[in-house]
Amino acid sequence: MTSPPRRYPDYDVLDKRDSPSWDDITRHVVAGRLNPPERQFFDDALWDVLIALCDTIMPQPDRDRPIAIWIDAALAQNRTTGTRYDNLPPMREAWKRGLAALEAEARLCHGRPFHDLAQDAREALLKAIDREEVAAPEWNDLPPRRMFREVLANEIVRVYYSHPDAWSEIGFGGPASPRGYVRLGPNRRDPWEAEESAATRRSAEP
Amino acid sequence: MISQGSEIRAKDGRAPDVFSRDGWVAMRQYREAEEVDVAVIGTGAGGGVVAAKLAEAGLSVVAFDAGAFYRPLADFASDEREQDKLYWTDDRISGGDDAIEMGSNNSGRAIGGSTVHFQMVALRFRPEWFQARSRLGYGRDWPVDWREMWRCYDEVEDALKIAGPVTYPWGPKRGRYPYRQHELNASAQVLARGAEAMGVDWSPCPISTVSAPRGKSPPCVYRGFCKIGCSTNAKQSILNTYIPRALAAGAEVRDLAMVGRIETGSDGRATGVHYHRDGEWRFQKARRVVVAGYSIETPRLLLNSSSPSHPQGLANAEGLVGTELMVHSNHAVWGVMEDEIRWYKGPPSMAVCEHWNYDDDKDFHGGYAFMSQGPLPTDFATSMVKNLGVFGMELRRRMALYNHMAGLKIVGEVMPTPANRVELSEETDALGLPLPRITFRFGENDRKLSDHALRFMRTMHEAAGARDIFETAGSAHLMGGCRMGFSAADGVVDGAGRAFSCPNLWIADGSVMPTGGGVNPSITIMANATRIAGHMIGAIARGEG
Ligand SMILES: Cc1cc2nc3c(=O)[nH]c(=O)nc-3n(C[C@H](O)[C@H](O)[C@H](O)COP(=O)(O)OP(=O)(O)OC[C@H]3O[C@@H](n4cnc5c(N)ncnc54)[C@H](O)[C@@H]3O)c2cc1C
Ligand code: SF4
């Protein structure tokens, strides 16, 4: 498993923290993001499943930014999205049942807990769930694809891309207030934006 | 120091000055036992306009909103996760074959409603759409004369100082937009190039953010966070236009005030509203009530306001409340460009093509517009997860191309269908109010429309140089649920917004739209609210309201 090439090797969005691109509330919010709370919601068993799931959905061989703890924090606050699909339970229960079903599926298919599986076996298992090919009775009436995409993967991906390192990784300008941007046209860049490495720019290949 | 949106601010004779970091403006207040002329529920596109217009006409107005009263300069972070505070995130039960995503997808909760985080696209309806049934053979006619709407659009576009092109290619000849158009970002230029290759017109998109200073609003700085709230006040939302007007004209605005029930007397007339604020249920007496909570909360509130005189729910004598809920189809094509696009810069949709709204040579009813795109990172990443199921290194690789992406997304007209609706569920929320249950399914015509759009946009995007194209499906906006009609059997309210079965109740939000059109709805909602307010003021002056 290799990380994607670094397209913006010299860019760190946090370097702009004290520039006019950041305002007080953004500094405050992002500082909080870099400072995870204690676990409150998940027990040890589900926690292991969640950690392994985060590593599979957003693998980070090149770094180790916490994701799971933010999901725990959101559920501890009973933070909801506004959508409860009628074939899914409420958010907290959905997470508990989804992770339990994933764990049961791993044990049924491989005889081992999900977090003990190799990365490619975990990926394959998640792809099967996404194709709705599941066998564990724990799924019961849960819709596997919706559970996987709309609850589990959705939130893990949201947390990953809310970290400043992820903004640097993709060359996103990041916070921009009060200063925005001046150069808007193609291939134009303000001095405070990420510069793409010549090699990747020429290829524009993944 | 920092508001999490949980403190009541509009009280003690003052309300937040939205143009300051911590300042105040004076606010008139009314006693609950005092029968005010009008209680307005919801302060978004519809309610905000009505509150301002009625107060300016000299009526005593109290406007309620479940959301917080923000000061953009101090409260809006450049951060997607933090800004979830602007959305209606309470559970709503969503089902049906094409269950609608709620929350950040279509529902705001703040003083200013969903306009606080809307993307500012300001397009008028095609005139024929107001008579879709009789002139185009589908949907419903509006009990409204399009020329009256045209005058109200003029008023609203001026109130928001819409920035747009000197000439707009579609629709009746019009005057220039109040403010000059913005410089196009790279993402918009991709749309322009594609349209020229296909031989269809395109236009810089008229948008509700100023291109030159206006009062205390500085010109747009192209920071691109519009969808999660504009922290500079360049965006002209209800929060920084009509709300200050309403306050200056003597309206009271009550923030963090959730209306749970409209009370009615034995004669069937509304007598006031029960609302929850500061930890307790309270009651405000009112001579008239205007509901503007949008297409889910308006039906929910009416259905929850049953009484001996309205046993099936308020204004629901014919069982129409909650029916014919509509969305816009929001399908899109995305591709990788050779150029660096950096679509995070500037408002997300700076170019538009309305060709298929005005060309009737199609094998389906209705039309669609499409616009250039500029999603923020988590928005874009999650749309790939939800639509394509990609995750892992594959997702990180795709996201690494973020700055080379360009996309085209439609606002597609969806046919009104009775089975697409809002009802009350058995479950209740923390205040004891029944949760809404929403059922939705795209119909045959809706699918034909989105297929047509995806085919056309794919060809066009390729012509503009995009490669590795992929598609996503989705919905945006809400409309209908309490439609205007010509008679009690045809609609919940009449063309003036007044309920057929409750003479001192009006509805003035997106829920009254009988059809959705192929454009983003908010200036149509605002123009219609302007019209409804005008009719109300006239009726009251004649002693008929
Ligand atoms: C992300 C996003 C982008 C959009 N972009 C565009 C765009 O570019 N162009 C466009 O034209 N439209 C856009 N829209 C749509 C537009 O914002 C809405 O159509 C419009 O604001 C709806 O107006 P409304 O008055 O019906 O409801 P809203 O503006 O949503 O206002 C309803 C208000 O009522 C309050 N409320 C509801 N129930 C109660 C109750 N019981 N008690 C007290 N308060 C209550 C809510 O808190 C809310 O503030 C967008 C919407 C979203 C979500
Ligand atoms: S791009 Fe303009 S309108 Fe959008 S958030 Fe920035 S300043 Fe506001």
Side-chain angles (χ1 to χ4, degrees), chain B residues 42 45-46 65-66 110 113-114 117 119-121 257 259 294 297 509-510 520-522:
Chain B
D65 203 292
S114 306
H117 54 71
Q119 301 195 149
M120 315 176 303
V121 171
V259 177
Y294 210 6
E297 297 305 319
D509 58 8
N520 320 46
S522 62

Side-chain angles (χ1 to χ4, degrees), chain B residues 156-278:
Chain B
V156 166
E157 285 174 356
D158 190 59
L160 300 178
K161 299 295 181 212
I162 303 293
V166 174
T167 52
Y168 190 69
W170 304 281
K173 195 167 156 41
R174 55 160 296 139
R176 55 192 306 167
Y177 281 92
Y179 273 39
R180 68 178 148 77
Q181 74 183 50
H182 292 270
E183 177 188 340
L184 295 185
N185 62 9
S187 166
Q189 293 180 36
V190 173
L191 181 144
R193 191 158 73 232
E196 275 158 21
M198 299 292 280
V200 294
D201 282 335
W202 68 277
S203 173
C205 198
I207 46 182
S208 184
T209 176
V210 286
S211 52
R214 175 201 191 186
K216 292 177 183 163
S217 286
C220 175
V221 296
Y222 308 114
R223 57 188 283 273
F225 283 86
C226 329
K227 190 181 169 178
I228 58 169
C230 176
S231 59
T232 71
N233 275 320
K235 174 194 279 190
Q236 303 296 289
S237 70
I238 292 289
L239 174 64
N240 64 6
T241 58
Y242 284 89
I243 294 296
R245 271 173 62 178
L247 291 169
E252 177 180 350
V253 173
R254 290 191 194 149
D255 52 348
L256 298 172
M258 173 73 186
V259 177
R261 226 181 104 75
I262 299 166
E263 191 61 51
T264 40
S266 52
D267 58 357
R269 291 174 66 89
T271 55
V273 301
H274 297 275
Y275 67 103
H276 195 270
R277 195 184 196 210
D278 210 4

Side-chain angles (χ1 to χ4, degrees), chain B residues 41-48 64-67 87-88 92 103-115 117-123 227 257-260 292-295 297-298 301 477-479 508-511 519-525:
Chain B
I41 303 162
T43 61
F64 299 83
D65 203 292
Y87 302 123
W88 192 287
R92 289 161 164 173
S104 62
N105 191 43
N106 51 26
S107 304
R109 174 165 51 195
I111 302 300
S114 306
T115 70
H117 54 71
F118 83 151
Q119 301 195 149
M120 315 176 303
V121 171
L123 304 176
K227 190 181 169 178
M258 173 73 186
V259 177
Y294 210 6
S295 292
E297 297 305 319
T298 290
L301 176 60
H477 312 141
L478 297 165
M479 289 129 321
D509 58 8
S511 75
V519 293
N520 320 46
S522 62
I523 70 156
T524 298
I525 297 169

